């Protein structure tokens, strides 16, 4: 029961951080710091890193987003494939934003394999589209067309 209350409090803090992320960064940081303090178990800490990474990436703080994503990856590696795919999707997104297209492609291909294996059609189509865009950026038009056609 205590663990559930702690998780509920953390969810509330993270929701408040998300609410203020674009309008009041000082409040956002306050909520993030408090949520991090309250995360006790490895899973809670890892979940905090995933959620915080998303907030940092949405506000163009990519270095921190990558750092938190790496920390979450280290916690969930070989323990939670669903969370690993979320983290690898974050890596792909951040590397896309940083114009490191080859690294983004590497992660998009990893998560595509996961979506194909688990037949997650929506995410599969989205990832094909992201690969099409990534290959277009590096002017590999044949590859871009291939992935765009797979998305259709």
């Amino acid at each position: 029961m205590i663990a559930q209350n702690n998780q509920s409090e953390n969810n509330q803090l993270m929701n408040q951080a998300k609410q203020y992320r674009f309008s009041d960064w000082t409040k956002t940081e306050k909520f993030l710091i408090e949520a991090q303090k309250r995360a006790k178990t490895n899973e809670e800490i890892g979940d905090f890193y995933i959620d915080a990474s998303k907030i940092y990436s949405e506000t163009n703080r990519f270095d921190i987003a990558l750092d938190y994503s790496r920390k979450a990856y280290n916690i969930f590696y070989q323990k939670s494939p669903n969370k690993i795919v979320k983290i690898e999707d974050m890596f792909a997104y951040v590397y896309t934003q940083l114009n490191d297209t080859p690294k983004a492609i590497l992660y998009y291909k990893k998560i595509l394999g996961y979506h194909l294996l688990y037949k997650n059609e929506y995410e599969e189509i989205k990832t094909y589209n992201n690969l099409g865009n990534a290959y277009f950026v590096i002017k590999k038009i044949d590859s871009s067309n291939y992935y765009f056609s797979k998305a259709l």
Side-chain angles (χ1 to χ4, degrees), residues 1-143:
M1 187 66 148
I2 293 172
Q4 192 173 15
N5 285 343
N6 192 44
Q7 188 172 4
S8 177
E9 289 174 9
N10 271 5
N11 288 342
Q12 186 177 5
L13 288 166
M14 292 307 289
N15 285 335
Q16 289 172 309
K18 288 175 193 171
Q19 178 183 345
Y20 289 104
R21 70 187 179 275
F22 299 121
S23 61
D24 188 340
W25 186 251
T26 303
K27 278 187 182 179
T28 299
E29 281 189 312
K30 183 183 97 176
F31 291 125
L32 288 170
I33 289 166
E34 188 58 34
Q36 187 173 19
K37 285 180 190 173
R38 291 185 186 203
K40 301 294 183 209
T41 68
N42 266 354
E43 182 150 353
E44 289 173 353
I45 294 166
D47 288 341
F48 164 79
Y49 286 142
I50 290 171
D51 292 342
S53 176
K54 186 165 176 51
I55 290 169
Y56 282 112
S57 71
E58 290 170 344
T59 56
N60 299 330
R61 292 164 171 88
F62 299 120
D63 54 338
I64 301 170
L66 285 174
D67 183 47
Y68 279 18
S69 292
R70 283 186 195 101
K71 289 176 179 180
Y73 188 91
N74 290 335
I75 290 170
F76 291 119
Y77 181 70
Q78 294 186 333
K79 294 177 186 152
S80 178
N82 289 338
K83 290 184 181 179
I84 289 296
V85 81
K86 275 185 180 180
I87 296 162
E88 288 180 339
D89 190 52
M90 179 60 65
F91 283 137
Y93 172 77
V94 170
Y95 285 124
T96 297
Q97 297 306 305
L98 293 173
N99 293 320
D100 191 343
T101 306
K103 275 189 182 172
I105 289 170
L106 173 83
Y107 284 104
Y108 284 132
K109 285 184 174 182
K110 282 179 154 185
I111 63 176
L112 178 60
Y114 177 88
H115 296 315
L116 290 169
L117 180 65
Y118 290 98
K119 302 188 184 334
N120 186 339
E121 189 175 354
Y122 172 76
E123 293 296 328
E124 183 182 322
I125 291 168
K126 196 168 86 172
T127 305
Y128 278 131
N129 190 61
N130 287 335
L131 280 163
N133 285 324
Y135 277 109
F136 184 80
V137 166
I138 60 173
K139 298 184 181 5
K140 291 194 175 183
I141 304 305
D142 287 345
S143 294

